[in-house]
Amino acid sequence: RRVYYAILDSAGRGHFKPSQSQVMKHFISLHQKIDQIMHDLETRQDFAEEPTDRCPYCDGYGNIIDEKGARLCECAKKEVIRFEIEQARIPKHYHEHTLQNFESNSSMLKGAQQKALSYIANYSLENHKGLYIYGPTGAGKTHISIGILKGLIERGFDGVFYNIVDLLDTIRATYDPQHPLDEKNRLEIELNRQIFVLDDFGVQKTSSWVQDRLYALINRRYQDCKTIIITSNMTLHDLELQVDKRLSSRIIEMCEEIEIVADDYRKRTRPTYHDSRGLLPMRHTRKR
């Protein structure tokens, strides 16, 4: 009826009575226009359907305002933590490594794991003493140090991870006049983060330049009351014998020790080996 009267109105407010075929023609035309309008609305980005996986607490806004006041929602906190961990330069191989999935199959490893967890729980800007984590190759020192770094980031502190060889190569590259300024600035920001994990200390080639750069890094952190976490194959006694006295003295003063004594962690987490007349063939075990 509405279509009929609309046609009458458009034809001159009832001066003639349209035929049934004319009504149907106009009706079909109107129906096509409506279909086109609906299609246009459905394809417009600003009319897209609302996401159904919004946070039930903040409705996707990232903050909560109630009788307790305004505060950041847990979903936003998780996103911040995820971003900070991405910016911490943790190697891809260790992306899933945490203290919780550290393989502590001996009392020594369990003790190291508990010390690391306690360190995270008690860390603060006032209680910021660092760690010197040492033990043989493959004992799990890097896993422990990354687990600590992630745990501290989850508590709201910022930090970064560097293998010592990569760090020295990065510093050396900044001496090139053609080195991008933004990369120099990024390195400066990373060197000033609250937590700095320096992995594999002791594998670097010794030279006066290396000693000076490392002392400058560690002494600066000492003066700024910032944390250094070091992993190494050397005991602190070996450290005193092999590196510059200024450097070893600063490290000993700034860090508490965590010793890790264990079999090679990498061999413990891959297919087993057996010895046969000096040969070490791999024995594969496949799940069926």
Side-chain angles (χ1 to χ4, degrees), residues 240-241 243-250:
E240 290 183 278
L241 297 176
V243 303
D244 184 277
K245 294 294 182 183
R246 300 175 305 157
L247 185 55
S248 62
S249 176
R250 275 284 182 264

Side-chain angles (χ1 to χ4, degrees), residues 3-4 7 18-32:
V3 173
Y4 179 79
I7 295 171
S19 66
Q20 186 176 3
S21 62
Q22 287 178 310
V23 172
M24 290 302 300
K25 182 178 179 181
H26 283 282
F27 180 80
I28 292 171
S29 176
L30 181 61
H31 192 276
Q32 290 175 340

Side-chain angles (χ1 to χ4, degrees), residues 63-75:
N63 52 66
I64 298 174
I65 302 175
D66 56 19
E67 64 278 2
K68 298 178 182 179
R71 62 190 183 280
L72 203 62
C73 183
E74 288 300 316
C75 70

Side-chain angles (χ1 to χ4, degrees), residues 12 40 48 119 122 131 146 152 167 188 242 249 259 263 287:
D40 292 342
Y119 180 83
N122 296 313
L131 293 172
I146 286 176
L152 291 173
L167 173 65
E188 184 66 21
Q242 295 188 35
S249 176
E259 182 181 11
D263 297 330
K287 293 183 179 179

Side-chain angles (χ1 to χ4, degrees), residues 5-13 16 26:
Y5 285 116
I7 295 171
L8 288 178
D9 186 67
S10 63
R13 298 191 178 275
F16 72 94
H26 283 282

